[in-house]
Every structure is written in structure tokens, then in C-alpha cells.
């Protein structure tokens, strides 16, 4: 019997995109850009921090928005069922300071993510990535210790881990990413994704 770990992206897959929700809450439309539009995460984050600074916004305001974000309908049930049959790790480019309240709403699954650097007044001064190319690096590390991975995500930064896994799926992705990656099965519902993962286990 093979040892499997399912690796899932967080935003866009289990919960709404945090930055899109914050863009709406703060009335700053340019913050809607995500890794779906800007594949270079480092560049995207530095640009976001510049926008926050310009508007005098910090961690507290973003956390207030996150408190009002709820997982997609069916996400918690999907995760509970999945965790009852196999190991699951959420691998996200989000930050521990953002993820906590969302993990509580999802029943405290395991998440590997990054961390923000903040000033005492709550200004976000920088960010620390856990490791370069974190999703692919994590999947490769899991494989190196004897696990087979199954991965699902929606964005450019998920493609590496999807490609490197024994089975990989696009989930709630964009038409462009689906078109550019026709060799990956693409699903829209948790029922479809669950069935695909069960087949791959």
C-alpha cells in the first residue's frame, strides 16, 4: 500500500482569495491582482506592500476582513471526508497571520505557509518565504521521505506541485490556465475532485 499525501492549495480552492476580499472591503481595486495574473509571487507581494503603505493600511485591517471570510460552501465537509481517508496538507503562499482564523473555520487542518514581518504599529514591513518555490519544494521533500503526492490547485504557482505529483488536478481555475494546461484534468466541484482523488489513491 502506497503512502499518500494530498497537497491542496488554500485560496481559490477552499476559501475565497484573501486579497480580493480585502480589495473589496478597502475599496482599493488594484489589490485584486493575484497569482492568477502575476505568476511572480515575490514581485506581487512587494507591489501589494507598497499599495498598503501608500494607503496607511496594515495587518489589523486585513485581519478584520479575514474574520469575515468563510470557506466555500462544502469545503469543510470535503476536507473532513478527505482527511478521514488520507493525509492532507494545505500548502499555501499565504501567511500565518492570515491563515489562523481560516484554519479554525476549516477544522484546523495542517497548513504550510509563509510569515509576515510587521512593525509594532501593525505596518507590514516585509514577508519571509518559508522556502523558495514553496509548493514544488514541499512536494519534492515529501516524496524524498517516501510519500506519493496528489495535488490540486487553481493558480500559476500550483502548476509545479501538480506536475510533480503522481496525480494532479486543476480546481476552480481560470479558463486561461485550463487552456494552457490541457493535460491536467480540471474540476469545478468538490464531488468531482473527491472522486478523482479517490481514484488516484
Amino acid at each position: 500500500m502506497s503512502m499518500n499525501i494530498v497537497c491542496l492549495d488554500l485560496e481559490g480552492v477552499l476559501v475565497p482569495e484573501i486579497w480580493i476580499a480585502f480589495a473589496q472591503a478597502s475599496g482599493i481595486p488594484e489589490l485584486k491582482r493575484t497569482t492568477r495574473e502575476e505568476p511572480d509571487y515575490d514581485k506581487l507581494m512587494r507591489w501589494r506592500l507598497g499599495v498598503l503603505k501608500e494607503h496607511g493600511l496594515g495587518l489589523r485591517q486585513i485581519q478584520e476582513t479575514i474574520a469575515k471570510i468563510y470557506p466555500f460552501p462544502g469545503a469543510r465537509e470535503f476536507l473532513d471526508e478527505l482527511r478521514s481517508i488520507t493525509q492532507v496538507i494545505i500548502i499555501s503562499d499565504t501567511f500565518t497571520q492570515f491563515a489562523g482564523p481560516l484554519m479554525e473555520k476549516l477544522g484546523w487542518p495542517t497548513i504550510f505557509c509563509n510569515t509576515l514581518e510587521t512593525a509594532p504599529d501593525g505596518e507590514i514591513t516585509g514577508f519571509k518565504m518559508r522556502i523558495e518555490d514553496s509548493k514544488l519544494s514541499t512536494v519534492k521533500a515529501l516524496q524524498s521521505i517516501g510519500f506519493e503526492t496528489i495535488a490540486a490547485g487553481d493558480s500559476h504557482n500550483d502548476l509545479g506541485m501538480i506536475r510533480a505529483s503522481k496525480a494532479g488536478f486543476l480546481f476552480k481555475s481560470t479558463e486561461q490556465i485550463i487552456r494552457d494546461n490541457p493535460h491536467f484534468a480540471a474540476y469545478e466541484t468538490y464531488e468531482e475532485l473527491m472522486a478523482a482523488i479517490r481514484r488516484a489513491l
Side-chain angles (χ1 to χ4, degrees):
M1 168 146 174
S2 63
M3 304 288 285
N4 293 292
I5 290 192
V6 176
C7 299
L8 297 174
D9 176 36
L10 176 65
E11 295 178 65
V13 172
L14 298 169
V15 304
E17 293 276 355
I18 292 168
W19 288 96
I20 291 178
F22 185 64
Q24 286 159 345
S26 63
I28 306 171
E30 64 262 39
L31 283 174
K32 284 189 178 152
R33 278 172 73 89
T34 70
T35 46
R36 289 170 162 206
E37 293 86 32
E38 174 51 77
D40 184 336
Y41 190 73
D42 195 59
K43 189 170 150 191
L44 178 66
M45 269 310 297
R46 281 201 305 266
W47 177 80
R48 282 169 172 165
L49 296 190
V51 174
L52 291 178
K53 196 175 169 67
E54 192 185 311
H55 290 271
L57 297 169
L59 187 57
R60 187 176 56 83
Q61 290 88 352
I62 299 177
Q63 286 176 329
E64 282 167 6
T65 296
I66 292 169
K68 301 186 191 96
I69 295 177
Y70 284 85
F72 290 132
R76 167 87 189 248
E77 294 76 8
F78 163 77
L79 208 46
D80 285 347
E81 184 184 336
L82 192 55
R83 289 163 74 197
S84 76
I85 58 172
T86 188
Q87 298 294 314
V88 180
I89 297 176
I90 296 170
I91 307 176
S92 171
D93 277 337
T94 193
F95 304 94
T96 49
Q97 293 93 332
F98 292 178
L102 297 168
M103 293 306 100
E104 184 177 4
K105 291 168 189 168
L106 286 168
W108 297 111
T110 299
I111 182 168
F112 291 172
C113 61
N114 305 304
T115 188
L116 290 169
E117 293 161 349
T118 55
D121 67 355
E123 184 196 334
I124 302 170
T125 53
F127 55 97
K128 192 167 177 1
M129 302 300 276
R130 188 169 51 80
I131 189 172
E132 201 172 323
D133 205 356
S134 65
K135 298 186 183 196
L136 177 59
S137 301
T138 302
V139 157
K140 284 183 168 167
L142 290 167
Q143 291 167 351
S144 78
I145 54 172
F147 290 100
E148 291 201 54
T149 59
I150 296 167
D154 69 320
S155 219
H156 286 287
N157 61 347
D158 299 311
L159 296 174
M161 73 170 180
I162 291 171
R163 203 173 284 121
S165 293
K166 76 163 179 179
F169 312 107
L170 290 169
F171 186 67
K172 296 181 184 287
S173 191
T174 65
E175 282 178 23
Q176 187 62 53
I177 291 174
I178 292 169
R179 239 194 335 266
D180 291 345
N181 296 276
H183 43 291
F184 296 144
Y187 300 112
E188 291 297 321
T189 70
Y190 292 117
E191 290 74 19
E192 292 172 319
L193 183 58
M194 179 62 76
I197 292 171
R198 281 183 179 274
R199 285 193 297 272
L201 284 170

